[in-house]
Amino acid sequence: MGLITRYLFKSISAALLLAVLILLSIDVLFALIKELNDISSAYTLGDVFFYVALTIPSKIYELFPVSAVLSVVVGLGALAAGSELVVLMSSGFSKIKIAVVALLSIGFWLALVLWLGEFVAPAGEQMAQDFRNHKISQGKSISTSKAIWLKDGDVVLKTKQMRSKGDGGYELEDVTVFELVDKKLKRVSKAEKATYKNEQWTLENIQISKFEVAGVDLDKKSDMKWSSRIEPEILNISSTRPKYLSLRDIKKYQQFTAQNESMQSAYHIAWWSKWSFPLLVIATAMCGVVMLFGQVRSGGMAQRLVVGIVIGIVIYLLNKTLLNYGEVYHVHPFWVAMLPSLALIMVLFLVLSEKLRLS
C-alpha cells in the first residue's frame, strides 16, 4: 500500500467512523424516545437502555450504506476543499483510481460489518425482542395478535410466545395443533402448555376434538407426547422478522419448508437482500464519489454532511421500497434486490470514466 493510498484510507476511515457515530446516535435517540412510551413498573428505564443497546449491532448494519456514502462525501470532500484531490489528479490519479481506493477502503470495513450482520446482529435482535416481550408481558396476558403459526406438512401449530425454562428446555402456552388429511381438518388438539425436552414435545392438559362423519368426538388427556420437526429454533426463526435473520437462519428455515412448500416471499427477499448488501454499499459509495466531483467540493463541512445524508437516505428508501414492492407483489428478488444496485454501479462507473455525462 502506497503512501497516498494509506492517506486516503485513513481519511475515509476517519470519516466513516464519524458517519457511523452520527447516524447511530440519531437512530438510538429516536429508538429511546419511542420506547419511553412503554415504560412501566415491569419495563423500567434501565430495561429500555438495555433493549436499545442490544439492537445497536443491527442498526450499524442497516445504516452502513448511508454511512458509506457519507464517509466518501465528507472524507474526500475535505481533501477536495483543500485542493489535495486536485494535486492527486494532476500527479496521475484519475477519478476511477480515486474511486477504487475509496471503495477498497470502505470494503475493508464492510467485511467487518458483514460479519457483524451475520453473527452478532441477528442474535442481538432476537435477544432484544425476547427481553422486551418478556418484560412488557410480565403479569399481563399476551396478545393473540402475537401468536405464532407454523405449518409442518399436514400439521399446523398455533401458539403464543415461547420462553426458555433455563434447564435446556422450552415452554409454550396456549398451544393448538391442527391436523389435516387431504386438506380437510380432522383433529384439533388444544393444550394449556407444551414443553420441549430431549428433542420431543410434551402437551399438557389437552382437549382433543376429532371430526368424524357422524359428528365431533371430544376427548381429554392429562399429557401426550408429540413428535414433530417443529423445534424451538424453527419457532424462533419463524417469529423473527426475516430482515433480522442471518443467512444461516434463513437457510435452516428454507430446509424446514422444503418438504411443505416454497418459502414465503419475505424470506426470499431477505435472502437476496443479504447477498446484495455489498452491492448496495458499493453503489451508494460510488454515488458519493460522483457527487464529490460535482459541486460538493466547493462547499463546507455542513453542506457535505447534508448532501451525503440526503444521497444515502434517498438510496436507502428506494431500496426498501423496491424490497417491499417485491414482497407484496411476489416479484423475483433478483429484480428488486440485485438488479437495481448492479445497474446503478454500471451507470456510475460510466460517469466516472467520462463515457457518460449526467448533464
Side-chain angles (χ1 to χ4, degrees):
M1 184 183 292
L3 181 62
I4 296 177
T5 303
R6 286 200 301 269
Y7 181 65
L8 292 174
F9 174 80
K10 290 179 181 178
S11 300
I12 294 174
S13 297
L16 182 61
L17 177 60
L18 175 64
V20 169
L21 291 176
I22 291 175
L23 296 174
L24 184 61
S25 299
I26 295 173
D27 201 1
V28 166
L29 178 61
F30 278 106
L32 288 172
I33 294 173
K34 180 182 177 182
E35 292 300 316
L36 290 178
N37 296 325
D38 295 325
I39 285 183
S40 63
S41 58
Y43 188 51
T44 64
L45 182 62
D47 295 331
V48 168
F49 279 101
F50 182 68
Y51 163 74
V52 174
L54 288 174
T55 63
I56 285 178
S58 63
K59 293 180 185 297
I60 293 175
Y61 177 84
E62 194 169 0
L63 292 171
F64 192 75
V66 185
S67 303
V69 65
L70 193 57
S71 67
V72 170
V73 173
V74 172
L76 294 184
L79 299 181
S83 300
E84 293 175 82
L85 284 187
V86 175
V87 175
L88 288 178
M89 294 176 67
S90 62
S91 63
F93 262 69
S94 64
K95 292 180 181 180
I96 290 292
K97 192 171 183 179
I98 293 174
V100 169
V101 173
L103 293 176
L104 289 176
S105 301
I106 292 174
F108 176 84
W109 299 108
L110 175 61
L112 177 61
V113 171
L114 289 175
W115 175 84
L116 194 73
E118 178 65 18
F119 295 98
V120 181
E125 192 67 34
Q126 290 184 17
M127 287 177 59
Q129 296 303 324
D130 290 343
F131 174 79
R132 185 181 186 278
N133 292 336
H134 175 72
K135 287 293 183 178
I136 290 180
S137 64
Q138 185 173 356
K140 302 178 182 179
S141 60
I142 303 175
S143 172
T144 56
S145 62
K146 296 180 180 178
I148 302 171
W149 291 82
L150 196 59
K151 185 175 185 293
D152 179 22
D154 292 329
V155 176
V156 179
L157 172 70
K158 172 185 172 293
T159 183
K160 292 185 177 179
Q161 187 180 0
M162 180 179 65
R163 62 173 178 267
S164 174
K165 297 180 64 177
D167 58 353
Y170 294 85
E171 186 176 87
L172 304 175
E173 289 185 359
D174 192 11
V175 180
T176 305
V177 179
F178 303 89
E179 297 180 52
L180 308 174
V181 176
D182 296 330
K183 298 182 179 180
K184 294 182 179 180
L185 185 62
K186 288 298 182 181
R187 187 163 77 166
V188 177
S189 303
K190 294 184 177 180
E192 287 186 4
K193 64 179 181 179
T195 56
Y196 184 86
K197 201 168 185 179
N198 299 325
E199 300 182 352
Q200 191 174 45
W201 291 102
T202 300
L203 305 178
E204 301 180 19
N205 297 326
I206 318 156
Q207 179 178 316
I208 303 174
S209 302
K210 297 180 180 179
F211 297 90
E212 307 290 350
V213 177
V216 180
D217 183 20
L218 299 178
D219 189 15
K220 290 186 178 181
K221 293 184 179 181
S222 59
D223 62 78
M224 181 178 68
K225 299 295 183 181
W226 180 50
S227 299
S228 174
R229 293 193 311 124
I230 300 176
E231 301 176 349
E233 185 178 17
I234 297 297
L235 283 170
N236 268 328
I237 293 174
S238 65
S239 61
T240 303
R241 294 183 66 182
K243 72 174 186 176
Y244 293 129
L245 294 174
S246 66
L247 287 170
R248 294 168 295 116
D249 289 337
I250 298 176
K251 185 66 175 179
K252 289 176 184 176
Y253 190 75
Q254 183 183 33
Q255 293 172 347
F256 173 79
T257 58
Q259 297 181 7
N260 305 327
E261 54 189 16
S262 59
M263 280 198 305
Q264 298 175 23
S265 178
Y267 292 92
H268 274 300
I269 295 290
W271 173 266
W272 280 79
S273 65
K274 286 280 186 180
W275 284 110
S276 64
F277 184 79
L279 294 176
L280 178 63
V281 173
I282 293 172
T284 53
M286 288 184 69
C287 280
V289 176
V290 170
M291 291 298 298
L292 173 70
F293 292 110
Q295 298 299 318
V296 178
R297 63 180 182 269
S298 61
M301 173 66 79
Q303 180 182 341
R304 292 194 294 272
L305 278 173
V306 172
V307 171
I309 291 176
V310 169
I311 294 173
I313 290 178
V314 168
I315 296 179
Y316 173 83
L317 292 177
L318 285 174
N319 178 65
K320 291 299 179 184
T321 301
L322 287 173
L323 294 179
N324 291 334
Y325 178 86
E327 180 179 341
V328 172
Y329 293 101
H330 304 287
V331 180
H332 193 282
F334 173 80
W335 302 108
V336 294
M338 191 78 71
L339 184 62
S341 296
L342 285 172
L344 185 57
I345 289 173
M346 291 178 62
V347 170
L348 294 173
F349 178 81
L350 293 174
V351 172
L352 287 172
S353 61
E354 299 182 347
K355 296 180 179 179
L356 177 67
R357 294 186 180 275
L358 296 177
S359 59

